[in-house]
Amino acid sequence: MLFPFTACKGGSGGNVEKVAYDAKAVAAKYNLPEIPEADKNLKVQMGYNDCDHMVGAIIGEKAGIYKALGLNVTVTKTNNTNIAQAMTTGKMHVGYMGIEGALNARSEGAPIIMAAANHLGGSSYLVVANDIKDPKDLVGKKLAITANPENNPQWIKWATKLGLPIEKDNYEIIKMSQKDCPMALKSGKISAFSCCDPFASQCEYQGLGKVVAVGWGGLIDETKKEHDHKHGWGMCCIYAMNENFKKEHPEVAQRLLVAHAMSLKYLYDHPYNAAMMFADGFGTAPEVGLMTIYMKTIAEGRTLTWEFNQENIDNFVKQYDEYKIDKKFRPRTDKLNEFVNLNFVKESGIESFSDFTKEDKIDEKFPIGISFKDWLKKAKEIDGIDNKVGNDIKIPEIYKKQK
């Protein structure tokens, strides 16, 4: 018998629907060692970056996965810098964060390791104001983008594609948090900004601005089969862990890794509810949550995963050579070998990502390339959801372009 995960609509329950999901039953499939008595009341501190790439952290909490695994996890939305600092001091044990920040922190002596992958792709967006008719009109305007665009692979790709000058002297670059950018765009304080979701989809859905470019993170090896996440993609975000914590609490660390995999599995198996969890977690509209999860699981392919291999790491590093990025703006890779753990996932008894997608028939239910309308219809059918949420969404054409 399946025991439904229950969350009331409205009020404090937000938009999450009742679905037949038993986290304890899923967790029971893994052969996990008992948590030692001394660790049963251990309070795990988890951080995640203010970005859709880290949606697994929210799902683990809201779907009852941490609790089902006997974990007492406090989840905090913050940023890469704060996560790195907190993991350095031991105040934070695990975090969803960008690989660049984690690598740099490791190089500076932080006991951070890459316990698992999280996002091989890592979609990012360039959003412009509605009065920008041609991307070239951005020259001379206020942009909330990276402070050193000529040393940022993603900006170089965008600028080249859009026919824009790369150098920062052609723009007035200002520093602004992603969450503040949509309203700044609407008010005319800025003419464009770069971001991850939900901020791009928010602009599109609410008519605050429009996406003119999408980046996929890392250097995608075009010689590989399309959607081949094992070989063709780079690396964006990771599931980082404090190395000392892993050594001192191995049973808890293993369960945290399983929780990470279960959270991503939930994302693919129950995308509608995952979108609602994301929307509630970020305080955004349900429709924006749906647009975000469609991008994560369909338009971008299956790049949210717990698996990675050496080729993904190599592709990540290659992009800096490809675009001749100045060394001082590159992530520090001198501690790469001790930072990367290619075996932790397998040692934790977690199935391969491909085995999961085959067993749960993800490609059959949600094939790559499925339209948003059909994806949403199927997502609702799977969990017996009967509502009109998202039925009026029109996905921007640029969202449908894979690379």
Side-chain angles (χ1 to χ4, degrees):
M1 178 179 179
L2 290 177
F3 298 89
F5 161 65
T6 304
C8 300
K9 290 292 296 297
S12 61
N15 296 288
V16 179
E17 295 276 359
K18 296 178 181 179
V19 303
Y21 177 73
D22 184 357
K24 285 188 176 180
V26 178
K29 296 178 181 179
Y30 298 96
N31 185 24
L32 297 170
E34 288 294 320
I35 298 176
E37 196 65 34
D39 283 349
K40 286 187 176 178
N41 294 317
L42 181 66
K43 294 183 179 180
V44 178
Q45 298 297 326
M46 174 185 290
Y48 70 96
N49 196 19
D50 190 10
C51 174
D52 61 318
H53 304 181
M54 287 66 175
V55 63
I58 299 174
I59 294 173
E61 180 180 37
K62 293 185 177 292
I65 292 170
Y66 302 139
K67 185 177 180 181
L69 285 161
L71 300 171
N72 182 1
V73 181
T74 298
V75 181
T76 302
K77 180 166 63 177
T78 178
N79 58 53
N80 274 336
T81 300
N82 290 341
I83 293 171
Q85 290 175 347
M87 291 184 71
T88 299
T89 62
K91 292 181 178 179
M92 192 166 280
H93 308 116
V94 64
Y96 287 79
M97 62 189 299
I99 187 172
E100 291 185 29
L103 269 172
N104 290 341
R106 179 74 195 202
S107 180
E108 293 172 1
I112 297 177
I113 59 170
M114 179 178 170
N118 177 56
H119 210 338
L120 303 184
S123 52
S124 57
Y125 309 85
L126 181 63
V127 187
V128 303
N130 289 320
D131 62 356
I132 297 296
K133 305 306 179 185
D134 187 314
K136 296 182 181 64
D137 295 338
L138 292 174
V139 175
K141 298 292 197 301
K142 292 181 180 179
L143 276 57
I145 61 172
T146 177
N148 295 284
E150 52 265 63
N151 282 292
N152 182 277
Q154 188 56 72
W155 173 258
I156 295 172
K157 295 176 196 177
W158 284 341
T160 301
K161 183 176 181 180
L162 297 173
L164 290 168
I166 294 170
E167 295 77 14
K168 62 183 177 182
D169 293 343
N170 294 282
Y171 314 95
E172 184 179 348
I173 297 178
I174 64 173
K175 186 176 181 180
M176 183 178 291
S177 67
Q178 293 185 56
K179 64 183 179 63
D180 293 331
C181 285
M183 297 313 297
L185 196 70
K186 180 183 179 182
S187 66
K189 291 181 179 179
I190 57 175
S191 293
F193 69 98
S194 58
C195 65
C196 53
D197 253 340
F199 312 108
S201 292
Q202 176 188 348
C203 286
E204 284 281 358
Y205 181 70
Q206 296 179 351
L208 305 177
K210 53 195 176 186
V211 175
V212 295
V214 180
W216 301 106
L219 177 68
I220 300 172
D221 187 341
E222 301 289 352
T223 67
K224 303 297 183 181
K225 181 181 176 183
E226 192 172 15
H227 311 304
D228 181 3
H229 80 271
K230 287 187 176 180
H231 305 291
W233 291 87
M235 182 70 69
C236 175
C237 309
I238 68 170
Y239 191 69
M241 189 173 288
N242 181 292
E243 188 172 26
N244 298 327
F245 175 84
K246 178 182 178 294
K247 292 176 180 177
E248 294 166 6
H249 310 281
E251 296 84 4
V252 174
Q254 183 176 350
R255 286 173 182 256
L256 283 167
L257 203 57
V258 169
H260 170 53
M262 285 177 60
S263 297
L264 295 185
K265 288 169 66 174
Y266 186 101
L267 173 78
Y268 289 105
D269 282 326
H270 306 280
Y272 181 90
N273 244 13
M276 296 304 104
M277 291 173 183
F278 175 77
D280 289 348
F282 274 77
T284 192
E287 292 82 359
V288 173
L290 288 167
M291 292 172 72
T292 297
I293 299 305
Y294 176 77
M295 281 297 291
K296 294 291 93 182
T297 60
I298 301 298
E300 192 173 339
R302 318 296 192 202
T303 64
L304 278 166
T305 174
W306 52 89
E307 276 189 329
F308 70 101
N309 61 31
Q310 191 60 48
E311 284 193 63
N312 300 134
I313 297 294
D314 291 344
N315 285 343
F316 162 71
V317 174
K318 281 178 187 176
Q319 68 174 332
Y320 296 94
D321 293 328
E322 178 83 5
Y323 293 98
K324 299 179 174 59
I325 303 302
D326 189 302
K327 285 188 177 181
K328 67 180 181 181
F329 292 103
R330 298 186 184 204
R332 302 172 191 171
T333 57
D334 53 302
K335 300 286 182 68
L336 183 62
N337 290 337
E338 61 188 54
F339 169 80
V340 173
N341 188 328
L342 288 167
N343 300 314
F344 193 16
V345 170
K346 188 177 293 185
E347 292 169 355
S348 295
I350 300 170
E351 70 269 42
S352 71
F353 185 78
S354 60
D355 284 348
F356 152 65
T357 57
K358 289 176 184 176
E359 183 178 341
D360 287 32
K361 300 180 179 178
I362 301 301
D363 292 336
E364 180 180 320
K365 291 183 287 189
F366 303 108
I368 295 292
I370 188 173
S371 70
F372 176 84
K373 180 180 178 181
D374 290 341
W375 171 83
L376 181 60
K377 180 181 178 181
K378 187 67 174 179
K380 290 182 179 181
E381 286 177 354
I382 283 173
D383 285 324
I385 296 168
D386 184 16
N387 63 31
K388 296 182 180 180
V389 176
N391 291 354
D392 62 338
I393 293 175
K394 293 183 179 179
I395 293 293
E397 283 299 316
I398 198 165
Y399 277 32
K400 303 172 186 177
K401 298 176 182 178
Q402 173 52 247
K403 294 179 182 177

